[in-house]
Amino acid sequence: MNKLLAFGCIAAVFTAISCQKEADTAHTAPATGKLVPVTVEATVPETRVTLSTGGNLPAWTQGDKIGIFTADKVLCPPFTAKTGGSASTTFSGQKPEYSHLTTAFFPYDANATLGAAGIGLTLPQSQSGRIADAMMVGTGNENDGFTFQNVCSVLRMQIPASLNLRITSSTPSSYLEKRAEVAGTSALSGEILLSVLPSTSKTLQMALTRSDGKVAFVNTTFTSGKGFEAGRIKNLGQASASLTFYDAALVADPTNQQL
């Protein structure tokens, strides 16, 4: 899956980059030497980390882990949420002694990098179908706390359990790079959320794979608004129960994965 390059600002400018380019422009180092305990406040004013059943309020979950870089581009050990259920909570962790915390991200990734261009994060290609797979970047400091903003585009879809589906989704260009999927051992059902790279594309290509291996393809062109806007959830509605499934393979897949 492509990487996100997220700049450390609330406007959260970002782009998809290749692994090689990211390696040339971003650098980081693990925390070494004496570590001291520290707590920080983290707030999510707009983006949901979990979706409550009754509303659109943001909420952290107890045990959530965030990553925080120092001003010297040192990645601290993960910080852990003490409590959950609210848009603001306290995270506890450790930092190098005398260092200053500057940029945070969620979820924690030990391979994250920080360079002049911003934070390099890898968006998982295989996802759980929950909002927690969406990536956020937080700016602030340990005294004032960190404010987080989603840097992914999130697709929401209702899946009837009777379809026995798995989902593969992509934007038209660079299929293998931008593909995201929700898979598992049981059929998908209910509300499914898929985090994808933001883009200016107006087209969504989706493959719905049934438990017997047959595939139904959905191609959607968004006629209004931005189809893959960062920080927004795009509601695709409910998958039709009358989809037609075929013995078909995705052309871009390796031959050993084709039906």
Side-chain angles (χ1 to χ4, degrees):
M1 189 68 176
N2 262 13
K3 288 193 175 183
L4 292 178
L5 188 66
F7 285 75
C9 62
I10 285 302
V13 183
F14 52 89
T15 183
I17 59 174
S18 71
C19 294
Q20 181 59 47
K21 181 179 178 182
E22 194 277 335
D24 291 340
T25 58
H27 307 277
T28 191
T32 58
K34 183 178 180 180
L35 299 178
V36 295
V38 62
T39 60
V40 298
E41 292 294 317
T43 302
V44 190
E46 299 177 356
T47 304
R48 291 181 287 273
V49 180
T50 58
L51 291 176
S52 61
T53 56
N56 297 329
L57 296 177
W60 291 103
T61 298
Q62 184 178 12
D64 277 342
K65 296 184 184 300
I66 61 173
I68 304 182
F69 285 101
T70 70
D72 296 324
K73 298 183 175 62
V74 172
L75 178 60
C76 299
F79 280 62
T80 305
K82 292 184 176 180
T83 60
S86 63
S88 296
T89 193
T90 300
F91 282 77
S92 60
Q94 293 180 309
K95 69 168 189 173
E97 192 174 23
Y98 306 119
S99 66
H100 298 283
L101 304 180
T102 58
T103 310
F105 60 91
F106 172 85
Y108 179 81
D109 180 0
N111 296 315
T113 58
L114 178 63
I119 304 175
L121 301 169
T122 301
L123 181 63
Q125 185 175 77
S126 182
Q127 300 179 18
S128 65
R130 299 187 300 271
I131 194 65
D133 289 312
M135 292 179 171
M136 297 191 296
V137 170
T139 56
N141 55 67
E142 58 202 85
N143 294 321
D144 301 325
F146 290 87
T147 301
F148 282 77
Q149 183 175 2
N150 187 9
V151 293
C152 292
S153 176
V154 182
L155 305 176
R156 172 192 281 161
M157 194 173 188
Q158 293 289 336
I159 304 294
S162 59
L163 289 179
N164 293 317
L165 290 182
R166 310 291 184 274
I167 298 176
T168 298
S169 172
S170 71
T171 50
S173 60
S174 302
Y175 170 79
L176 289 177
E177 285 289 311
K178 295 187 177 182
R179 184 176 67 177
E181 62 184 11
V182 180
T185 57
S186 58
L188 300 177
S189 64
E191 183 176 74
I192 302 298
L193 296 120
L194 192 65
S195 299
V196 298
L197 294 175
S199 78
T200 58
S201 173
K202 292 285 187 178
T203 303
L204 169 69
Q205 298 175 340
M206 184 172 291
L208 307 178
T209 306
R210 211 164 55 185
S211 57
D212 60 3
K214 294 182 181 293
V215 180
F217 294 97
V218 176
N219 292 295
T220 300
T221 300
F222 302 118
T223 57
S224 61
K226 298 179 180 180
F228 303 95
E229 186 175 4
R232 296 295 181 89
I233 296 178
K234 187 75 172 182
N235 189 6
L236 302 179
Q238 179 167 304
S240 173
S242 59
L243 287 168
T244 302
F245 288 81
Y246 301 93
D247 289 319
L250 302 177
V251 175
D253 280 345
T255 55
N256 62 353
Q257 294 182 13
Q258 296 184 11
L259 301 176

